[in-house]
Amino acid sequence: MQFLTASASASSSSAPPVPRSAHLLRVSRPPPFPHLRRRRAPHLPSLSLSLSLAPKPPLLLASRRSLFFTPRAHGDHHHHNHGHHGHGHGHGHHGHGHGHDGAEVHGSGGGAAVMRMARAIGWADVADALREHLQVCCISLGLLLMAAVCPHVAPLSPVGRLPAALIAVAFPLVGVSAALDALVDIADGKINIHVLMALAAFASIFMGNSLEGGLLLAMFNLAHIAEEYFTSKSMYDVRELKENHPEFALLLETSGDESVHFSNRSYTKVPVHDLEVDSHILVRAGEAVPVDGEVYQGSSTITIEHLTGETKPVERTVGDAIPGGARNLEGMMIVKVTKSWEDSTLNRIVQLTEEGQLNKPKLQRWLDEFGEHYSKVVVALSLAVALLGPFLFKWPFFGNSVCRGSIYRGLGLMVAASPCALAVAPLAYATAISSLASKGILLKGGHVLDALSVCQSIAFDKTGTLTTGKLMCKAIEPIHGHLDVSHGVNDPSCCTPNCESEALAVAAAMEKGTTHPIGRAVLNHSVGRDLPVVAVESFESLPGRGVVATLSGIKAKNSENELAKASIGSVEYISSLYRSNGESEQIKQAVKCSAFGPEFVQAALSVDKKVTLFHFEDEPRSGVCEVIYTLREKAKLRIMMLTGDHKSSAMRVAKAVCIDEVHFSLKPEDKLNKVKAVSREGGGGLIMVGDGINDAPALAAATVGIVLAQRASATAVAVADILLLQDNLCVVPFCIAKARQTTSLVKQSVALALTCIVFAALPSVLGFLPLWLTVLLHEGGTLLVCLNSIRALNHPTWSLGDDICQLIDGLKNYISAKLNSSSKFPANTVPL
């Protein structure tokens, strides 16, 4: 998969100082995936992995808060990942992440000073142990509920101090870490959800409502653990890729020119980072291929489902390419390494997936900026309600049996209006990116989903995109300069040994090493044939036109002092090389009068004023007609073909794949201008699907560029927005439907979040809700937004009617499954 060498590397950034204790655990060679770091998430099974793409900010796949706001240490002074602790807990809202788990704290800010003090007295260690711990939260909530029911239970009502004792035990379990986090944030001048909740909880103590303050913190932590659980369910877990990849490889030892064989061969176990290109490794049954390579000896069946979503196992034999991470199901192979670990398929897939999740769409970036300011506004409004309420609305400050106090109402507003639900609204973006990645569709950012959802047109390249790209040379036809025009007979000295063989030998020499479908077809056609030896002395590629080369050792016909020059490319390009208009027209006319007709793909070769026409056959991809039908009838897109081929060949393929709008004989700049024109005319943007270097300008200019990554050129991959790892177009409609589904879910989530804030804040300010119920409504709304967002894991549909049908089918399947399972266990009958 050559596309992996073209993916953009992560931008460099300065890393924080590393504690000395971390250096003590450094091994001589880093393991694979050095950018994967394990952090401590809430104590739920299989939820403790954090992923980051070094040197970019970390990405917690088990924490929904870190997904939307870049985790930052307090004041950027005391964020550490200590190797000896093995965790660095992140739980921040709105750009807030706590990294309080190191033994040393660097920096001179207020937050750093607080952390040094907390470390010195052991406060930080206790907070790290208790922070959002599932069992601790449950114990705390249980004790608080017991304290709430004690006065109402007859046997316990005489024990007056029991509720206070229960609260005294339960409150520190959730309050110790909350107090430290809030104090550090305040010292750094930050106001976020943790500060708001801590202020509300501890203010409740001073107001004599310590029970409500404890319930607030316990439910807040439990709700966040639940949200993180739902979020982790929605994420494409890169752990699976890491676990499918070995840290070591079996390097076969060779000496000199000795060939590699299975028998009598010793091997050495080496880290995958040490593997060099052209070395040979042994892959046994059940093992994973460590890096990209090709089968040197042996054959086997492999699976790449975890890489591309392709569920069907594939056969691999000598000469076949194998991507890094592929699982060898049976047999034993010797694999020749073709790419280093840094450029291997698996490493690049992980990088592109994480980069896609880190590249935030516009709405998410706006929420990042909005969150900090919004929290400060909430605090200001809460203070205004608490201080001005007695003067404007005659509320008491601390409340009584008749009316809730203004301070209590202000705390309720502070809790209800916290932007948790808004912060989690863009979760659908990350969920969709993960869902697409699991199917072998890699996006270079969430913003691609927004752009893709509004596009109204789609353009396809022909060769290699709509067609298989596996051209076959059907005929080689001399058409100009090969005959003695004056006598109308073949010139015996025209070519050696004959015109067809000489033309094929020259073309094969010029196309050696090419990735273009026509060049590969020429090389395949030359294999096994007795052709004259031709060497190329200089070489120049002209994208969209052809190739020019100087032939070594072959003198030009009209000059003994010059070497012969050859050109191969489109008929238009070759005919343009002849300055005489008459000669140029003769070549075009000869092409039109070709004995093989105009239906084939054609390329022309010019050598020393002799022109030879190559005819190639290309077949449409299977399933393309269904793809085009879906895009036209369900996605309602304008569909067109952009190709550099001549009209007859383009129309043949267009008719086969049911495309009505065809633009042919286009150079790269023509495709670029056409893409720009369509984008201006139709509005809403255009999707360009291609694979070759000729498509790169159009892919870059399109609203969204999509490439078939297995066959795409490095230039096309570099400018594309979406990479399709599977070599087919069947996933294009799925990708568009997923983009529309995701943007719709995000809009729904934002509306739901705002509704929840209004319906929780207004009754709280009016005094209708107690503080604990306000927290319950607030966190319940956040959970609803989470649940709505992870609907992006569902298969996308094109309309509301399809959604309803999908829901009904799901209910039918669920009911039938339940009925079938119950029928297997008939109820025991009791005799009368």
Side-chain angles (χ1 to χ4, degrees):
M1 294 186 181
Q2 65 178 0
F3 76 94
L4 296 167
T5 61
S7 60
S9 60
S11 60
S12 60
S13 62
S14 58
V18 180
R20 293 185 60 182
S21 56
H23 291 291
L24 296 178
L25 293 179
R26 189 182 297 273
V27 294
S28 59
R29 193 78 181 177
F33 300 101
H35 51 284
L36 297 182
R37 296 290 183 265
R38 190 172 290 272
R39 303 176 60 158
R40 188 175 75 185
H43 293 252
L44 284 174
S46 303
L47 290 182
S48 59
L49 182 72
S50 162
L51 300 169
S52 64
L53 178 59
K56 292 201 173 194
L59 175 67
L60 270 176
L61 294 191
S63 172
R64 60 96 172 161
R65 285 162 292 178
S66 302
L67 286 170
F68 308 108
F69 304 101
T70 304
R72 294 175 296 172
H74 303 290
D76 295 327
H77 296 303
H78 59 281
H79 182 103
H80 307 288
N81 286 324
H82 295 275
H84 59 294
H85 283 204
H87 64 269
H89 180 67
H91 62 106
H93 267 294
H94 318 303
H96 178 68
H98 297 285
H100 306 150
D101 57 312
E104 300 179 29
V105 179
H106 301 273
S108 57
V114 172
M115 280 303 301
R116 281 193 290 269
M117 180 272 294
R119 291 288 176 207
I121 63 177
W123 184 5
D125 295 329
V126 176
D128 286 341
L130 298 178
R131 184 180 288 111
E132 291 190 8
H133 194 294
L134 178 60
Q135 287 80 3
V136 170
C137 288
C138 291
I139 293 172
S140 176
L141 183 60
L143 294 175
L144 291 169
L145 291 176
M146 289 176 59
V149 301
C150 273
H152 307 286
V153 178
L156 299 177
S157 57
V159 187
R161 295 187 177 182
L162 181 59
L166 294 173
I167 295 172
V169 174
F171 197 100
L173 296 179
V174 290
V176 170
S177 60
L180 177 60
D181 295 341
L183 188 59
V184 172
D185 284 332
I186 293 172
D188 278 335
K190 296 178 181 178
I191 302 296
N192 51 47
I193 182 60
H194 298 282
V195 174
L196 299 182
M197 289 296 175
L199 288 177
F202 287 98
S204 298
I205 296 178
F206 294 106
M207 294 170 55
N209 295 321
S210 55
L211 176 60
E212 289 194 3
L215 287 171
L216 184 155
L217 290 179
M219 288 189 295
F220 178 70
N221 286 343
L222 282 174
H224 280 184
I225 293 173
E227 291 159 20
E228 290 169 356
Y229 174 76
F230 287 125
T231 300
S232 68
K233 287 292 185 181
S234 72
M235 301 310 300
Y236 179 55
D237 201 344
V238 188
R239 274 181 305 177
E240 297 179 6
L241 294 180
K242 180 177 182 290
E243 291 166 358
N244 280 324
H245 197 283
E247 296 184 3
F248 298 91
L250 304 180
L251 178 64
L252 293 173
E253 299 177 357
T254 57
S255 58
D257 297 331
E258 185 181 2
S259 60
V260 180
H261 297 284
F262 285 116
S263 59
N264 301 324
R265 182 57 50 201
S266 60
Y267 60 81
T268 304
K269 189 176 182 180
V270 299
V272 294
H273 288 89
D274 291 341
L275 291 178
E276 298 179 354
V277 176
D278 293 332
S279 59
H280 296 80
I281 57 177
L282 181 66
V283 182
R284 297 173 296 197
E287 296 179 343
V289 181
V291 294
D292 291 12
E294 64 179 31
V295 181
Y296 183 81
Q297 189 174 352
S299 62
S300 182
T301 302
I302 65 170
T303 177
I304 54 176
E305 180 179 1
H306 56 289
L307 299 177
T308 68
E310 177 60 53
T311 57
K312 185 179 179 181
V314 293
E315 300 288 336
R316 285 293 181 267
T317 186
V318 175
D320 292 339
I322 298 183
R327 175 73 58 178
N328 183 19
L329 299 180
E330 59 185 15
M332 184 182 298
M333 298 181 294
I334 294 178
V335 177
K336 182 179 179 181
V337 177
T338 57
K339 290 181 183 178
S340 64
W341 161 249
E342 288 76 13
D343 295 327
S344 67
T345 295
L346 185 56
N347 189 40
R348 292 300 190 184
I349 288 176
V350 173
Q351 289 185 2
L352 286 172
T353 302
E354 294 185 343
E355 286 178 359
Q357 292 171 335
L358 287 172
N359 292 334
K360 301 176 183 179
K362 185 177 180 180
L363 174 62
Q364 195 169 335
R365 292 195 302 269
W366 179 82
L367 286 174
D368 285 357
E369 300 173 0
F370 174 75
E372 291 281 353
H373 303 295
Y374 177 81
S375 297
K376 295 176 182 177
V377 171
V378 169
V379 172
L381 289 176
S382 301
L383 289 174
V385 169
L387 299 177
L388 300 180
F391 303 101
L392 297 178
F393 305 104
K394 307 302 181 182
W395 296 333
F397 271 109
F398 296 101
N400 50 47
S401 59
V402 179
C403 182
R404 298 188 189 276
S406 62
I407 296 179
Y408 193 91
R409 297 169 191 256
L411 294 176
L413 175 62
M414 185 182 299
V415 171
S418 297
C420 293
L422 277 177
V424 80
L427 172 61
Y429 285 118
T431 306
I433 291 174
S434 301
S435 176
L436 291 168
S438 66
K439 296 183 180 296
I441 305 170
L442 301 184
L443 274 67
K444 295 183 179 179
H447 61 281
V448 177
L449 293 170
D450 286 338
L452 192 61
S453 65
V454 299
C455 288
Q456 300 297 321
S457 304
I458 184 168
F460 290 91
D461 175 50
K462 183 180 77 70
T463 305
T465 303
L466 291 173
T467 64
T468 61
K470 298 177 181 178
L471 298 177
M472 294 181 60
C473 185
K474 305 300 291 184
I476 302 175
E477 180 184 12
I479 60 171
H480 181 77
H482 291 270
L483 299 175
D484 188 335
V485 179
S486 59
H487 297 87
V489 295
N490 285 322
D491 187 345
S493 62
C494 177
C495 303
T496 304
N498 54 62
C499 295
E500 290 81 0
S501 296
E502 183 184 85
L504 181 58
V506 173
M510 296 175 66
E511 297 287 4
K512 187 173 294 184
T514 185
T515 59
H516 195 281
I518 288 180
R520 291 197 299 264
V522 169
L523 292 173
N524 292 336
H525 193 62
S526 67
V527 174
R529 297 178 181 271
D530 186 16
L531 301 176
V533 178
V534 177
V536 175
E537 189 168 284
S538 63
F539 177 91
E540 182 182 4
S541 177
L542 305 174
R545 293 173 174 81
V547 175
V548 180
T550 300
L551 305 181
S552 178
I554 300 179
K555 301 295 184 180
K557 185 176 182 179
N558 297 329
S559 176
E560 292 295 329
N561 298 325
E562 295 182 4
L563 295 177
K565 289 189 176 182
S567 301
I568 186 171
S570 64
V571 172
E572 291 76 10
Y573 169 64
I574 296 300
S575 60
S576 69
L577 298 178
Y578 291 80
R579 297 179 180 179
S580 169
N581 291 332
E583 199 170 11
S584 178
E585 289 300 324
Q586 288 177 12
I587 295 173
K588 293 179 180 180
Q589 187 63 33
V591 172
K592 291 180 181 180
C593 298
S594 169
F596 297 93
E599 298 299 320
F600 293 111
V601 177
Q602 297 172 337
L605 170 71
S606 173
V607 181
D608 205 12
K609 296 295 183 178
K610 295 177 295 185
V611 179
T612 306
L613 191 62
F614 287 76
H615 298 270
F616 303 93
E617 186 177 40
D618 193 10
E619 294 299 323
R621 289 177 178 270
S622 61
V624 173
C625 285
E626 291 78 4
V627 171
I628 300 301
Y629 174 83
T630 302
L631 294 176
R632 179 184 293 114
E633 300 300 326
K634 295 188 176 181
K636 307 299 181 183
L637 295 177
R638 172 188 174 187
I639 304 173
M640 66 191 73
M641 177 198 294
L642 306 180
T643 179
D645 286 343
H646 58 83
K647 181 178 180 180
S648 299
S649 176
M651 295 305 297
R652 178 181 67 87
V653 174
K655 183 178 180 180
V657 299
C658 307
I659 293 180
D660 299 325
E661 184 176 350
V662 182
H663 303 274
F664 49 86
S665 300
L666 300 178
K667 300 180 180 66
E669 56 269 26
D670 298 328
K671 287 186 180 181
L672 173 63
N673 294 332
K674 190 62 183 178
V675 166
K676 291 181 177 178
V678 172
S679 298
R680 287 193 303 267
E681 293 168 4
L686 176 137
I687 305 165
M688 178 67 195
V689 185
D691 68 340
I693 190 171
N694 299 343
D695 305 319
L699 287 167
T703 308
V704 177
I706 302 178
V707 297
L708 296 167
Q710 289 190 18
R711 62 175 67 239
S713 65
T715 307
V717 169
V719 301
D721 302 295
I722 300 176
L723 309 180
L724 306 182
L725 301 188
Q726 296 188 35
D727 192 26
N728 64 67
L729 297 177
C730 297
V731 294
V732 172
F734 174 85
C735 194
I736 296 172
K738 177 65 70 174
R740 295 182 181 181
Q741 176 198 49
T742 302
T743 54
S744 176
L745 288 175
V746 171
K747 293 174 183 177
Q748 294 172 19
S749 296
V750 171
L752 183 61
L754 293 174
T755 302
C756 290
I757 289 175
V758 171
F759 277 92
L762 188 59
S764 182
V765 172
L766 295 178
F768 297 148
L769 298 179
L771 198 58
W772 65 269
L773 186 54
T774 302
V775 175
L776 190 61
L777 290 175
H778 172 267
E779 293 301 327
T782 306
L783 286 175
L784 284 177
V785 173
C786 279
L787 292 173
N788 184 64
S789 296
I790 65 174
R791 287 172 56 208
L793 290 175
N794 296 338
H795 193 280
T797 58
W798 296 104
S799 64
L800 180 60
D802 292 341
D803 278 336
I804 296 174
C805 291
Q806 186 183 72
L807 178 61
I808 294 174
D809 291 340
L811 289 174
K812 287 181 179 178
N813 294 334
Y814 177 79
I815 294 172
S816 62
K818 287 295 184 182
L819 292 176
N820 291 335
S821 62
S822 62
S823 65
K824 295 179 182 178
F825 303 98
N828 295 325
T829 58
V830 179
L832 296 175

